[in-house]
Amino acid sequence: MENIIDYLKAERSQEWRAEVRKRMKAKERTSLQRINMPEEDPDVRNKNSVEVNKGLAPEMAIAEAHRCLDCADPTCITGCPVGINIPKFIKQIEVEDFAGAAVTLKETNALPAVCGRVCPQEKQCELNCFYTQKLDKPPIAIGYLERFAADWERNSGKMSVPKTEKHNKIKVGVVGSGPAGLAAAGDLAKYGYDVTVFEALHEVGGVLKYGIPEFRLPNELVDVEIETMRKMGIKFRTDFIVGKTATFDDLKKEGFQAFFVGSGAGLPRFMNIPGENLNGIFSSNEYLTRINLMHAASDEYDTPVISGKNVAVIGGGNTAMDSVRTAKRLGADKAMIIYRRSEAEMPARIEEIKHAKEEGIIFMNLHNPLEYYSDENGRVKQVKLQKMELGEPDASGRRRPIPIEGSEFIIDVDTVVVSVGVSPNPLIPKALKNLKVTDWGTIVVDPDTMQSSVPEIFAGGDIVRGGATVILAMGDGRKAAAGMHKYIQEKIQAN
Amino acid sequence: MFKARIFFYFWQLKILIKNYFRQKKMSKILEKEFFSKNVVKLVLEAPEIARTRKPGHFVIVRIDEKGERIPLTISAADEKKGTITLVIQRVGVTSAKLCNMNVGDVIMDVVGPLGTATHIEKVGTVLCAGGGVGVAPMLPIVEGLKKAGNRVITILAARSKDLIILEDQMREFSDEVIVMTDDGSYGKKGLVTAGMEEVINREKVDLCFVIGPAIMMKFGALTTKKYNIPTMASLNTIMVDGTGMCGACRVHIGGKTRFVCVDGPEFDAHQVDFDEMMTRLGAYKEQEYEAYQKYLQTVEA
C-alpha cells in the first residue's frame, strides 16, 4: 500500500503535472459546469439497439478534464476497485494526450471501454470525488472520461498492447471469460505467465456478451478488448467446461500450475410462486441470453424468443432494467418494472433508471407478484399483484417491504421476466470435492489473496460474492492474479 | 500475376495462423447412417468429450454462426478414435439441418459432456423401456447396467418397424429384447406400456428406466407406479446454455422446480410433472413451425 501511495505521489510531482495544475486557478476550475453526456433521442432509441450514450466529443472531454483539481490526496482512487490512477489519466486528457490517457487506464484496468460504460461510478470514484465530498457539487464525470479515452484509442486504430514481462513458460488456467476472468488473465499475462482462458459458451466475454444489452455495451467493443488480450499472448478455449470437458487433475497433468475460477453466478433465482413455470415466463438470464448472445430478435438467426405486448419485469437491479428496456425495443406496448420496494432502494444505476423512464418504461414500485394465471395453451396471461409498504431497515440496510393485506389485484401480461437475483454456478464446487463453499454455494477465499481451500485454486467475482458488479469482479481478478503470482513464485523458490 | 499469387498464399497462411490461435475446435462429421428417413446417426470428432463422458451425459450443439443451441444425449463414444455418436430425429430446423449434413462437414460448436451421469449399480433386474429416438440415449445406460452385473430386459418401442433403431447393439448388452410397434409391423403390436406390464407380471423388476417422448415417459411412469417399481426418466427439455444459467429447462420434480441441465437429465419418474414438461416443450411451437416451413422452402428451392 505504501508503495502505491509513493508511486502516486511521484507521478503527481512530475513536471508536466505540476505545470498543468498551474494553468488554471482552482476557483476557476470549480466554477466550470459538469458536462452532460449526449444521448440518443428516447423515442428513437427505444425502437432499436443503438447505444444510448453517444460519448463525449474531444472538446467536451477536455473541458470536463479542466474541472479536475488533481488533488494532493486523490480520494477518487480509493473508490475504484481496480485502483486506476484517475487524476493522471484526466490530466492527460486535459493536455490532449488521449493515447497516453488510454495507456494509463490499461495499466490497472483490462477493460476501460467496458467500465466507462457499466460501472456504478456514482457509488465508487465519483462518490469519493472532492466535488461530491467537500464542495457539494456534481463530481468530475470520471466514467464519461474513461469511456472517452478508451473509445478514442479504439477509433484511432492504434490500440496499445500492455507491456508484459518476459514469458516464463509457466501455464496457468482461468475458468470463465467474464470480467473477473479477463481481469485476472490480463494481469497474469503481464506477470509473464502462459495464460489459457476456458469458456463454457461459444463466445468469450461472459456476462458482457450474454447479459448486458447492445444499447448499453456493444458486443463489438468487447471483442476489440479481447483481441488486445490475444495480442498479449492470452489463449482462449471456448466450448470448454472445466470439471466436465476436462477435470482440474487432467489440466494439472497438462502442466497447469494454478487456476483462477471466475465462473460467475450461474443459477437464476425464481420466487417459487404458483404458475411461475408457465410459458412466456423467463429468467432474465434466459431472456437476455436469447437476445444478446443468440440474436433471437433477428430473423437470420435460428434461436426464437417470445416477447409480447404486455411485459412485466420483476426486480429493481441493473439486469431488470436491461430486460425491461430490451422488451420495449422488441415492440412491447407496455413494458413494466414490478419492484417490491421504492425507487430509493433500487440497486440499479441511477443512469439506467433515468434512461428507462425516458424510454417510456412503466414503474410499478411497491408491488409484488403472488401468482401467475395461464391461458388455454399454457402461456401466462395475467399476474396477481399485491401492494407493499416500507417498514424498518433489514439486514441489507434497505427498508423492508411489508405486504398490505387485501390490496391484491390482477393485471394482464403476456411475457414475464423474473430478475430477482442469481445463485452461484454449482459446476465448479461439484467438480472439486475438497473445495470449501458457503451455505450459499459461494467459494470461500482468503480476502487478501483470493486463494481457496485448495491451494492452487483462486477465485473471484460472483462465484465468491454471489452477485455483484463488473468492476468488483475485475478487482477480484486483479487481486487473485497477484495472489497466484506470489503462490507460484514461492512454490518455485521452495523447490 | 506471380506476385499476386504469393500475396494470396501469404493471406491464406495468415488466416490459418489466426484460426490456430483462436483455438476454436470444430467437430467434423466422420460417419453418417440413416436409421430411417427421419432418424440419422452421426459420429463426430470430439476427443475430449469422448474421454470424459459417461452414460446419461449430453452435449449442446450449435451448427453454425447463426444456429441455435440444442441439447443431444450422447449415445456412444469411442475414446481411442476420439469420437462421440449422436442420434437425431428430424423435427425442426436445427435437427433437419443436422440430418442433412454429410461426412466431412463440420459442426461449429459441440460442448460437453453436460448433466449428471446415470447412477449405475448392481440392483438385480432392470427393465429399460426406450421409445423412438429415446432408444439412443438408453444404449449407454443398458451397456453400463449390464457391465455392472444386472439382468437387463430392454423394450424397444416405436410407431412402426422403420422407426425401431439400434436393435443389434441393444441385443449385445441385454439379456432379452422385446420389440413393440403401434401398428404391429414388427415385434409385438401394442404400446410400450403393454410390453412393460408383461415383464412386470412375469418376473420381479427392481428398477426401471424410461426414455422417449414425454407422453411415453408419462405413461411408462404411471405403469411402474402401480407396481411401486423405482423408475428413472431422462428428460429432454428446451435448453439454451446447458450449464444452469438460463433456467429454460426448469420443471417441477416432486413439487420443487429443478433444472434438467445440471440437476438431471435423469430424475425419479414418479416425481416428474410430465404435463408441465409437455406444455413447456411446446413454448415455441408456432415459431418452430413457421421457421421449419421457411426452411423447407429454402431447401426445396
Side-chain angles (χ1 to χ4, degrees):
Chain A
M1 205 54 205
E2 285 295 302
N3 285 339
I4 294 167
I5 292 166
D6 288 345
Y7 166 76
L8 290 175
K9 270 196 182 143
E11 285 275 327
R12 187 177 180 270
S13 56
Q14 279 184 6
E15 217 169 292
W16 74 271
R17 286 273 286 274
E19 192 269 319
V20 173
R21 277 197 296 277
K22 278 187 214 144
R23 281 188 193 176
M24 211 180 201
K25 285 202 179 98
K27 208 159 195 182
E28 270 179 78
R29 292 187 189 273
T30 57
S31 66
L32 297 169
Q33 292 295 311
R34 179 178 156 123
I35 212 86
N36 285 322
M37 174 60 84
E39 293 168 356
E40 187 60 67
D41 185 307
D43 269 336
V44 174
R45 72 183 192 228
N46 66 12
K47 294 170 191 72
N48 60 31
S49 63
V50 295
E51 208 182 346
V52 174
N53 286 346
K54 291 173 160 180
L56 303 181
E59 58 279 8
M60 298 163 89
I62 295 165
E64 181 65 21
H66 276 87
R67 292 180 69 222
C68 173
L69 298 171
D70 197 4
C71 306
D73 175 20
T75 45
C76 51
I77 300 177
T78 61
C80 178
V82 295
I84 293 174
N85 190 346
I86 294 168
K88 182 182 176 189
F89 98 81
I90 292 181
K91 290 299 120 179
Q92 283 170 316
I93 290 176
E94 185 174 331
V95 299
E96 298 183 37
D97 177 13
F98 304 144
V103 171
T104 303
L105 287 167
K106 279 202 249 178
E107 277 169 17
T108 56
N109 186 346
L111 310 165
V114 173
C115 294
R117 285 168 167 82
V118 304
C119 268
Q121 289 96 4
E122 73 265 15
K123 291 177 191 160
Q124 297 171 353
C125 52
E126 295 184 17
L127 174 71
N128 290 288
C129 175
F130 186 71
Y131 279 68
T132 321
Q133 294 289 331
K134 295 279 159 32
L135 302 179
D136 202 21
K137 281 186 177 181
I140 311 296
I142 301 170
Y144 295 168
L145 291 176
E146 179 181 24
R147 171 186 162 156
F148 168 79
D151 284 2
W152 186 89
E153 189 198 32
R154 192 177 63 255
N155 295 332
S156 74
K158 278 178 247 149
M159 291 284 279
S160 69
V161 178
K163 279 199 197 94
T164 53
E165 294 284 325
K166 197 170 162 280
H167 210 42
N168 64 18
K169 291 183 182 155
I170 299 171
K171 278 163 100 172
V172 292
V174 170
V175 183
S177 69
L182 292 179
D187 273 16
L188 288 166
K190 283 182 196 166
Y191 291 130
Y193 291 97
D194 179 359
V195 186
T196 305
V197 180
F198 299 95
E199 167 56 49
L201 289 172
H202 56 263
E203 273 199 38
V204 178
V207 73
L208 306 174
K209 281 277 180 66
Y210 73 75
I212 305 175
E214 202 68 11
F215 58 83
R216 202 148 78 82
L217 180 67
N219 274 351
E220 185 197 30
L221 192 147
V222 181
D223 286 332
V224 172
E225 306 256 13
I226 288 161
E227 204 51 52
T228 307
M229 302 186 76
R230 283 205 167 97
K231 285 186 191 141
M232 289 167 73
I234 298 168
K235 291 171 220 159
F236 291 92
R237 281 281 326 257
T238 51
D239 294 330
F240 196 107
I241 302 171
V242 175
K244 290 274 188 188
T245 311
T247 62
F248 281 100
D249 284 337
D250 294 336
L251 293 172
K252 274 191 249 170
K253 273 182 217 145
E254 278 181 35
F256 285 89
Q257 299 286 322
F259 299 89
F260 171 75
V261 176
S263 52
L267 248 24
R269 259 188 238 148
F270 289 92
M271 295 170 68
N272 296 315
I273 56 176
E276 210 173 18
N277 289 355
L278 290 172
N279 289 337
I281 303 183
F282 302 90
S283 71
S284 48
N285 269 0
E286 183 187 355
Y287 186 70
L288 291 172
T289 299
R290 281 182 183 273
I291 292 155
N292 298 334
L293 183 75
M294 306 308 297
H295 308 280
S298 160
D299 273 347
E300 284 175 50
Y301 287 79
D302 291 341
T303 303
V305 69
I306 297 175
S307 198
K309 293 289 170 196
N310 282 323
V311 184
V313 174
I314 318 298
N318 285 318
T319 314
M321 294 304 145
D322 287 344
S323 305
V324 78
R325 294 169 70 198
T326 298
K328 187 77 190 174
R329 282 161 172 78
L330 294 188
D333 294 329
K334 272 171 83 181
M336 305 168 260
I337 282 283
I338 294 172
Y339 180 54
R340 62 196 183 129
R341 304 183 209 237
S342 77
E343 192 177 314
E345 289 82 24
M346 274 193 178
R349 292 174 77 213
I350 292 168
E351 188 180 47
E352 308 313 325
I353 299 171
K354 172 183 161 270
H355 284 163
K357 283 184 177 166
E358 288 168 357
E359 287 162 14
I361 304 302
I362 300 162
F363 281 75
M364 298 189 68
N365 295 335
L366 291 166
H367 283 84
N368 202 34
L370 293 181
E371 184 173 1
Y372 299 100
Y373 302 99
S374 159
D375 69 6
E376 64 282 5
N377 299 318
R379 169 96 183 255
V380 63
K381 68 165 186 187
Q382 287 172 323
V383 55
K384 188 202 276 180
L385 299 177
Q386 185 172 42
K387 289 188 180 162
M388 312 289 276
E389 58 188 350
L390 293 178
E392 294 300 309
D394 62 11
S396 74
R398 296 177 299 175
R399 292 179 64 190
R400 188 195 304 272
I402 301 166
I404 302 174
E405 295 303 326
S407 65
E408 298 85 357
F409 62 103
I410 288 171
I411 59 167
D412 289 345
V413 289
D414 53 21
T415 308
V416 175
V417 181
V418 182
S419 184
V420 296
V422 281
S423 304
N425 196 312
L427 283 175
I428 299 289
K430 262 193 191 172
L432 278 168
K433 290 279 172 287
N434 43 359
L435 186 73
K436 225 167 114 188
V437 293
T438 63
D439 292 344
W440 288 82
T442 53
I443 299 176
V444 178
V445 294
D446 175 322
D448 294 323
T449 60
M450 310 307 279
Q451 190 170 28
S452 74
S453 58
V454 180
E456 69 274 17
I457 293 184
F458 294 70
D462 280 359
I463 190 69
V464 167
R465 293 171 179 273
T469 59
V470 167
I471 189 68
L472 287 172
M474 291 182 63
D476 287 355
R478 293 204 66 209
K479 221 194 267 179
M484 283 167 84
H485 182 47
K486 192 164 163 255
Y487 165 77
I488 294 171
Q489 295 308 320
E490 279 172 5
K491 213 166 93 174
I492 290 170
Q493 268 156 26
N495 287 335
Chain B
M1 223 13 230
F2 181 69
K3 254 187 185 170
R5 182 165 290 183
I6 292 279
F7 178 76
F8 177 73
Y9 284 139
F10 260 110
W11 181 62
Q12 282 210 321
L13 191 69
K14 211 175 141 188
I15 291 174
L16 268 175
I17 292 168
K18 202 172 161 189
N19 284 344
Y20 174 77
F21 280 111
R22 276 186 193 279
Q23 311 264 325
K24 188 103 202 173
K25 298 253 165 99
M26 303 221 227
S27 285
K28 198 192 260 181
I29 297 173
L30 302 178
E31 279 176 52
K32 179 182 181 181
E33 184 187 332
F34 277 97
F35 282 156
S36 70
K37 201 177 104 217
N38 292 318
V39 179
V40 166
K41 175 184 119 173
L42 294 179
V43 178
L44 309 179
E45 200 176 54
E48 278 149 339
I49 301 171
R51 195 169 54 80
T52 49
R53 71 92 216 192
K54 291 192 178 72
H57 278 147
F58 65 94
V59 289
I60 292 264
V61 168
R62 188 179 73 134
I63 299 175
D64 55 32
E65 198 56 47
K66 293 183 174 162
E68 61 181 335
R69 294 170 65 97
I70 64 159
L72 291 166
T73 309
I74 302 166
S75 82
D78 188 324
E79 199 184 324
K80 279 196 199 114
K81 289 187 193 152
T83 61
I84 59 168
T85 304
L86 304 176
V87 176
I88 300 120
Q89 182 172 26
R90 199 189 299 260
V91 284
V93 174
T94 301
S95 54
K97 280 183 185 169
L98 278 168
C99 289
N100 291 345
M101 290 179 92
N102 291 308
V103 172
D105 290 348
V106 287
I107 296 177
M108 193 164 211
D109 300 284
V110 178
V111 59
L114 292 160
T116 306
T118 311
H119 178 74
I120 287 177
E121 60 177 339
K122 187 176 173 182
V123 291
T125 302
V126 187
L127 175 60
C128 295
V133 280
V135 169
M138 187 70 93
L139 181 62
I141 297 173
V142 165
E143 182 182 344
L145 287 167
K146 184 69 204 166
K147 285 180 177 165
N150 292 287
R151 170 172 157 77
V152 182
I153 303 167
T154 303
I155 301 177
L156 305 178
R159 276 199 306 278
S160 56
K161 185 182 178 184
D162 59 322
L163 295 171
I164 294 288
I165 60 170
L166 296 167
E167 188 187 339
D168 293 342
Q169 289 89 331
M170 281 295 194
R171 284 195 188 280
E172 193 183 328
F173 299 110
S174 308
D175 292 275
E176 184 185 348
V177 170
I178 299 167
V179 177
M180 306 285 303
T181 52
D182 295 2
D183 62 359
S185 54
Y186 187 48
K188 289 180 187 166
K189 184 176 159 110
L191 295 173
V192 67
T193 44
M196 290 168 72
E197 295 231 32
E198 186 197 306
V199 176
I200 293 166
N201 289 327
R202 184 185 75 192
E203 62 185 291
K204 184 175 175 287
V205 174
D206 300 290
L207 178 65
C208 186
F209 280 85
V210 286
I211 307 181
I215 188 84
M216 170 256 170
M217 292 194 281
K218 177 185 170 175
F219 284 99
L222 286 172
T223 304
T224 57
K225 187 143 197 222
K226 277 195 296 192
Y227 301 95
N228 274 321
I229 301 166
T231 302
M232 301 299 286
S234 177
L235 310 188
N236 52 343
T237 50
I238 294 174
M239 293 182 192
V240 184
D241 64 291
T243 62
M245 199 186 80
C246 81
C249 63
R250 69 191 190 275
V251 66
H252 272 103
I253 312 283
K256 264 181 77 181
T257 291
R258 304 283 297 274
F259 289 4
V260 173
C261 64
V262 284
D263 300 325
E266 284 159 25
F267 292 101
D268 177 346
H270 299 152
Q271 302 289 323
V272 177
D273 186 341
F274 283 107
D275 292 331
E276 179 180 273
M277 181 183 147
M278 281 185 266
T279 307
R280 289 186 63 76
L281 277 169
Y284 295 95
K285 218 161 38 190
E286 284 166 41
Q287 284 104 319
E288 279 162 4
Y289 178 79
E290 228 174 82
Y292 193 46
Q293 294 309 314
K294 232 162 100 185
Y295 170 72
L296 288 180
Q297 280 171 12
T298 62
V299 175
E300 281 158 15

